[in-house]
Amino acid sequence: MSSYYYISSNPIPYTILCSLSSVQIQKLRSGLNFLELPSRDPSKSKAKFIRLIIYQNPDKTLIVCRNLCRHAGGNFVHDIEDAPQIVRCAFHGWKLNVQTLEYTHPADCLKQKRLEIDQTNENEWLILEPALYDPWMIDAKEKQVLQPDELTVTFISHACIEIQAGPTRLVIDPWLIGPAYDRSWWLLHDIDENSLERIANADGIFISKSTPDHFNRCTLRRIVQLNPGIHVYSPEMLISSLEQLGFVNTHSIRLGIWEEMPTSECRMMILPDHKHPYDDCAFLFEYKGYRILNLVDCSSPNGDFLPYGVDVLLTNFTSNKNAYPSCFIDQFNEKKVLQLAKNKDEKFLKSIIRFIQLSNPTVWIPVGGYFLEADEQIRCLNWKNDPMDVAEQLRTRFRYLKTWCPFPNGKYDVGSSTGDSPKRSVDDYLAKSWDFQYYNDQFEGILNNSSLETMKGVEEYFKWTLFNSYDLILHIVEVKDEFSDIIQEYYIDFLNSFPSFPPSRPIDRPYLRIRIHASVVRHVFLHGLSWNYVFNSFSGRYLAQPDVYHRKFWNHFKYNLPSTPPRIDESSEQL
């Protein structure tokens, strides 16, 4: 991997296509620019020149992609009859919106890959393309004969599975206790009373990401109490949080590098998600040449370049795990919200099909969507695919594909390609009660902190976020959990170099209103948490006028907040 190029803002590997001089950058026009530049390495690209489209936004930011249609390889041109950001392929008339990199004709078919720019010095800007690479081929293993029950996958709950490989047991993403996303998500299934001890006595735990349905602090604290010396594997960014919880044997896994486990025939690897490289990763486990690939929540695992012919593929079966569209009841009526949710999951099924085509697994196992929404209204609107229905559709499409729909403590044997059958009805595995009040009482304690009952505290938080120079009025309405009584509300204007706080809504400006549980939003503010905790929970109700997704705003508040929590002064005047 030494030949790959890395940039500080992204952990995925890149290849250098070509370069731009500072003079060429200065000559770019606002809007569309078509360029043909000498290839940085013609021997690798097999082309002497690289054709690019560069779209310069009014704020001088650049969107760069290849001038190459993904349909049949034609070049794009601009038709004077089309919008300024639309280009048309000279071969078959396919149209691309260069601002969003989405194809508009035909619609919803493909998306153009965005290229990155890295300024190495004042005179040269590198144009970079995400590299498609296959690190799993390093020291590839031949398959050996497996004995019955030698390599198995056991389902525990939600995204938590146990891999038994010979004498080694590895547990992935344990969530067994309490809620996730600030009391919005609750476990769908009852948990066996011995599961915590079973996990604490495993040879290792792998934590894939920081979200609370994978990095569940309630569960991890209990495991630390039982066995603080258990080996815990995770991406580097989670290590400090694991150590703060009390784990003493943590192992940072690097992208694209095999990590050997104590049993020499076991090893694991993580691969970056090209869409959310700091938020998601795919997990690859190998034992005696057999491979288990868990895509977790990835949208574009390894740039859609996956090991082919894996023995087990684990993916989600539903996409409806965030606020859109279920929490946009203020924006749409309930009938439309439900239809949008169904459409979203139908589209997600196409992603599952794509992953199967890319990896050609022996068996597909659905994980990661087994939760219950605490809010009864959201529960009715948040349509989720049924894993058995998805399995049936996949078997119809892929003649030789096996599927296994898991249940608590159900086991799939990789060597024999067979899975357990439930010994009782599916409904008997469902949770019957949850300790809602216990967690509600604990969480409501955040309202006793007076620092965010003041406008000064709110202002300090939004200045800490470092988000500015974007045309948006954000309206926060803090409410009680039933969305009945308003506790306080305020406006934030991000148009200038520092956020301002108008007393009322300015007219004729892009507007986003979030009605949200006060305990949730204050928890996020005080601890400087990613707004994934806001958007992935069901604690808010959203209204955008006009009806647009403010990508720059959400990307900043989800992924680019300062790493050090804010210091909010508690001694301020009351709001």
Side-chain angles (χ1 to χ4, degrees), residues 468-472 493-499 509:
N468 54 51
S469 304
Y470 184 71
D471 189 9
L472 177 66
D493 186 349
F494 296 107
L495 184 61
N496 298 314
S497 55
F498 290 96
R509 294 277 305 285

Side-chain angles (χ1 to χ4, degrees), residues 471 473 505-511 545:
D471 189 9
I473 301 296
R505 176 185 174 182
I507 61 173
D508 300 327
R509 294 277 305 285
Y511 170 77
Q545 295 177 339

Side-chain angles (χ1 to χ4, degrees), residues 134-275:
D134 52 359
W136 53 84
M137 295 304 296
I138 297 174
D139 190 23
K141 308 290 186 183
E142 291 289 334
K143 284 187 175 181
Q144 303 176 38
V145 176
L146 292 177
Q147 299 300 316
D149 284 341
E150 184 178 0
L151 178 60
T152 62
V153 177
T154 300
F155 177 76
I156 299 177
S157 68
H158 186 58
C160 178
I161 62 169
E162 176 192 86
I163 298 176
Q164 174 93 42
T168 301
R169 288 192 301 118
L170 178 71
V171 176
I172 299 173
D173 292 340
W175 171 27
L176 280 72
I177 301 173
Y181 290 110
D182 301 331
R183 302 161 298 156
S184 291
W185 295 24
W186 297 82
L187 287 168
L188 182 65
H189 296 115
D190 269 330
I191 304 300
D192 189 286
E193 61 182 9
N194 298 320
S195 293
L196 273 170
E197 288 77 9
R198 174 178 177 172
I199 293 174
N201 292 321
D203 296 281
I205 297 173
F206 172 74
I207 307 294
S208 65
K209 55 188 298 187
S210 62
T211 57
D213 58 323
H214 298 263
F215 189 111
N216 186 262
R217 292 178 181 272
C218 293
T219 304
L220 293 175
R221 287 192 184 101
R222 289 289 295 275
I223 293 172
V224 165
Q225 293 173 355
L226 294 169
N227 183 8
I230 189 171
H231 292 273
V232 185
Y233 304 84
S234 76
E236 181 181 2
M237 59 186 174
L238 301 180
I239 293 296
S240 62
S241 297
L242 289 166
E243 291 174 346
Q244 288 171 11
L245 286 173
F247 291 104
V248 296
N249 284 323
T250 58
H251 305 267
S252 172
I253 304 182
R254 293 174 293 169
L255 292 167
I257 304 292
W258 282 117
E259 174 81 19
E260 302 285 345
M261 292 194 67
T263 303
S264 60
E265 292 176 295
C266 293
R267 57 184 185 174
M268 68 182 83
M269 174 187 293
I270 58 174
L271 299 167
D273 181 59
H274 280 209
K275 187 171 183 181

Side-chain angles (χ1 to χ4, degrees), residues 443-459:
F443 212 82
E444 290 303 320
I446 198 76
L447 296 178
N448 296 327
N449 188 311
S450 62
S451 58
L452 286 166
E453 293 179 351
T454 68
M455 198 60 203
K456 183 177 180 181
V458 172
E459 291 175 3

Side-chain angles (χ1 to χ4, degrees), residues 379-392:
R379 199 181 312 157
C380 297
L381 297 175
N382 194 46
W383 169 274
K384 295 198 289 287
N385 285 331
D386 183 286
M388 292 186 180
D389 290 343
V390 175
E392 178 63 31

Side-chain angles (χ1 to χ4, degrees), residues 503-522:
S504 59
R505 176 185 174 182
I507 61 173
D508 300 327
R509 294 277 305 285
Y511 170 77
L512 174 63
R513 186 183 73 200
I514 305 176
R515 295 192 298 126
I516 187 167
H517 296 159
S519 56
V520 171
V521 73
R522 294 185 188 185

Side-chain angles (χ1 to χ4, degrees), residues 20-35 52-65 84-87 97-101 114-115 117 125 552:
L20 280 168
S21 69
S22 58
V23 174
Q24 289 173 311
I25 291 284
Q26 291 172 3
K27 288 183 177 180
L28 291 176
R29 296 171 297 177
S30 180
L32 284 171
N33 296 267
F34 294 88
L35 280 75
L52 301 176
I53 303 176
I54 300 180
Y55 191 90
Q56 182 166 254
N57 291 307
D59 61 0
K60 301 297 183 180
T61 57
L62 303 178
I63 300 170
V64 187
C65 67
Q85 72 275 21
I86 302 295
V87 293
N97 183 330
V98 183
Q99 273 190 306
T100 64
L101 298 182
R114 182 169 183 169
L115 305 179
I117 298 179
W125 299 52
K552 184 176 180 179

